[in-house]
Amino acid sequence: MWTFMLLGLLCASASASAIQARSSSYSREYGSGGGERFSHSGLQLEGPITAIRVRVYSFNIAGLQVRYGQVWSDYVGSNLGDLEEIFLHPGESVIEVSGTYRNYLKSLNFFTNNGRYLSFGKDSGVIFYAVPLDIDAVLRFISGQAGLFITAIGLHWDTIPETTPATAEPASSVAGPRGGV
């Protein structure tokens, strides 16, 4: 009898571990690709995403930079066009991402758990829409490919560890082309 109880507890523990492991997911790479690969993997350990910078030029997403906690990722892409910067509120997270692409990313739209819609670029081309597999997961980091413009973006989702401090600046930010803030 004790053997069966021990076996039952062991199976339940393994199932709980498997469920926990499923909170992490990857929304494939969207875009045509080309250029240098980049990944912000590891930066999510600095904290949740607290700000996003996007450079838009001639209806293309030309550059991208993300702040994790208080640490900015390396800037990827070119310095062409206008730089837009949006800060997330404390405790705010990106829960959905959509956008469009042709040869390059044309638009990026970030939806937050506070109901905000942060929009960059102009919608045209192939539409993509990405959400995490786990309902409690949020955007934790990005990866992709970039050259003169951002040619592809990959979205990595997971839950935020409870030990991570919520660090963000006030919402004094530059609005996107549709007033995104």
Side-chain angles (χ1 to χ4, degrees):
M1 169 123 168
W2 286 107
T3 305
F4 289 116
M5 286 177 52
L6 182 59
L7 183 60
L9 284 173
L10 187 60
C11 288
S13 175
S15 295
S17 296
I19 290 170
Q20 179 63 27
R22 288 189 202 132
S23 68
S24 175
S25 62
Y26 171 66
S27 297
R28 70 179 189 89
E29 202 167 78
Y30 299 97
S32 62
E36 300 251 346
R37 290 198 167 275
F38 69 89
S39 176
H40 295 171
S41 177
L43 286 172
Q44 76 273 19
L45 300 175
E46 298 293 336
I49 293 173
T50 55
I52 302 168
R53 289 179 179 152
V54 177
R55 192 174 294 273
V56 179
Y57 177 75
S58 184
F59 307 112
N60 295 309
I61 304 296
L64 181 64
Q65 188 175 30
V66 178
R67 190 174 77 170
Y68 299 86
Q70 296 297 320
V71 177
W72 284 100
S73 68
D74 289 338
Y75 180 84
V76 294
S78 72
N79 289 322
L80 298 171
D82 298 321
L83 182 67
E84 300 174 39
E85 180 178 80
I86 296 180
F87 289 92
L88 276 66
H89 299 290
E92 187 174 26
S93 296
V94 174
I95 58 171
E96 301 173 22
V97 178
S98 69
T100 57
Y101 64 90
R102 283 196 183 133
N103 293 331
Y104 311 110
L105 284 186
K106 299 291 188 179
S107 67
L108 280 172
N109 308 298
F110 299 92
F111 302 85
T112 75
N113 59 337
N114 285 358
R116 287 202 302 160
Y117 170 70
L118 316 171
S119 179
F120 303 94
K122 181 174 171 140
D123 290 333
S124 68
V126 178
I127 298 169
F128 70 87
Y129 179 74
V131 294
L133 292 178
D134 187 297
I135 195 164
D136 294 324
V138 298
L139 184 63
R140 291 293 284 141
F141 72 93
I142 64 168
S143 61
Q145 298 179 54
L148 185 58
F149 300 111
I150 305 300
T151 59
I153 189 167
L155 306 158
H156 303 262
W157 310 90
D158 204 348
T159 55
I160 297 175
E162 292 189 30
T163 57
T164 302
T167 53
E169 293 183 11
S172 58
S173 60
V174 177
R178 293 186 208 121
V181 184

